[in-house]
Amino acid sequence: MCELLGMSANVPTDICFSFTGFLHRGGGTGPHRDGWGIAFYEEGGFRDFRDPHPSVHSPIARLICDYPIKSNIVISHIRQANVGQVRLANTHPFVREMWGNPWCYAHNGQLADWQALPHSFYRPVGSTDSEHAFCWLLGELRGAFPEPPADDEQRRALWATLHGLCERLRGLGVFNLLLADGDYLYTFCSTKLVHITRRAPFGRASLSDAELTVNFAEHTTADDVVSVIATEPLTDNEEWIRMLPGELLVWQGGEIQARYET
């Protein structure tokens, strides 16, 4: 299956360290050779990079490691193709507009009977079960909430609805999700997702998939909060927390804002 990487931070932060380890799993230490992508939300804008080639050999991936893009929310994905050809149109993350914001999505897993999911507003560009499910999910959200939430009560109603939709997709197979709207990062666990939150006092971290150690105390302030979410732990000297099957976490500024469970 594919692997996921996400970040939520309270200050613009680069993901170079985590991404350096993650990219090695795309054809190096892992079998995920069928493309990769990464998306950044920064200063009210959005940019993404996608490549249908293995990330471990990708010049674009090396650029991301060498070019510290500062962002509050990041979503990344490395692909092991199950449904759909290996091509750019089938490479995650996918993005669609809703309420004037780019919604970015990446999925790990495989779904059964996904063709039966009806589309309303959104249509896939590629031929994967992942993008088909994304178009269905976002269309369902848009149908239930024609306008963006105006207050905390409506916002929590949106989050509860999202959890219910993720549960429906989990009923079709494996559905591990990263989703973002520019303000919040949503993570849903079907089988496996882990997360870690780094805050003061910061220490050293060593990657599992590359020979690289960083002392975060040299690159942060006492007020920084940075959370990283991944399919499997990226470091071998830190304690990562495993999400529960059926659990949805809502992140903002590196902190968990809401939790929904089955």
Side-chain angles (χ1 to χ4, degrees), residues 49-172:
F49 303 83
R50 294 184 298 148
D51 187 353
H53 304 292
S55 57
V56 71
H57 301 308
S58 171
I60 305 174
R62 289 196 295 272
L63 167 67
I64 301 301
C65 291
D66 296 336
Y67 179 31
I69 298 174
K70 303 285 188 177
S71 177
N72 290 88
I73 298 176
V74 177
I75 288 180
S76 186
H77 179 278
I78 50 177
R79 184 178 184 225
Q80 185 177 15
N82 291 305
V83 178
Q85 297 175 322
V86 177
R87 60 190 184 105
L88 187 60
N90 290 333
T91 305
H92 305 226
F94 303 109
V95 62
R96 296 291 189 279
E97 178 275 338
M98 186 164 71
W99 307 327
N101 295 325
W103 285 65
C104 180
Y105 157 103
H107 162 232
N108 155 243
Q110 192 168 356
L111 304 176
D113 301 323
W114 51 274
Q115 299 95 332
L117 294 169
H119 289 145
S120 52
F121 189 86
Y122 300 98
R123 297 288 188 276
V125 176
S127 55
T128 64
D129 53 347
S130 299
E131 189 185 14
H132 189 106
F134 176 42
C135 291
W136 173 81
L137 185 151
L138 209 60
E140 293 293 301
L141 279 181
R142 185 166 183 159
F145 300 88
E147 298 294 331
D151 53 36
D152 286 343
E153 182 178 356
Q154 292 182 12
R155 193 169 294 112
R156 291 188 176 275
L158 170 72
W159 297 345
T161 300
L162 174 61
H163 181 243
L165 294 172
C166 289
E167 282 285 72
R168 288 181 61 183
L169 290 168
R170 183 165 78 109
L172 301 181

Side-chain angles (χ1 to χ4, degrees), residues 182-195:
D183 292 320
Y184 297 95
L185 172 67
Y186 308 94
T187 62
F188 179 79
C189 177
S190 173
T191 53
K192 54 182 178 179
L193 273 179
V194 298
H195 59 88

Side-chain angles (χ1 to χ4, degrees), residues 226-248:
V226 181
S227 293
V228 177
I229 302 92
T231 300
E232 294 287 358
L234 293 166
T235 58
D236 55 18
N237 67 327
E238 297 179 294
E239 293 294 326
W240 293 68
I241 299 172
R242 291 198 173 272
M243 291 182 62
L244 300 174
E247 184 178 36
L248 173 74

Side-chain angles (χ1 to χ4, degrees), residues 9-54:
N10 68 339
V11 293
T13 304
D14 74 69
I15 200 171
C16 296
F17 174 72
S18 296
F19 186 70
T20 297
F22 188 63
L23 72 86
H24 279 80
R25 298 180 179 180
T29 57
H32 315 88
R33 303 181 53 86
D34 302 323
W36 68 276
I38 189 168
F40 302 88
Y41 288 89
E42 46 183 318
E43 298 181 345
F46 174 89
R47 60 173 149 179
D48 66 335
F49 303 83
R50 294 184 298 148
D51 187 353
H53 304 292

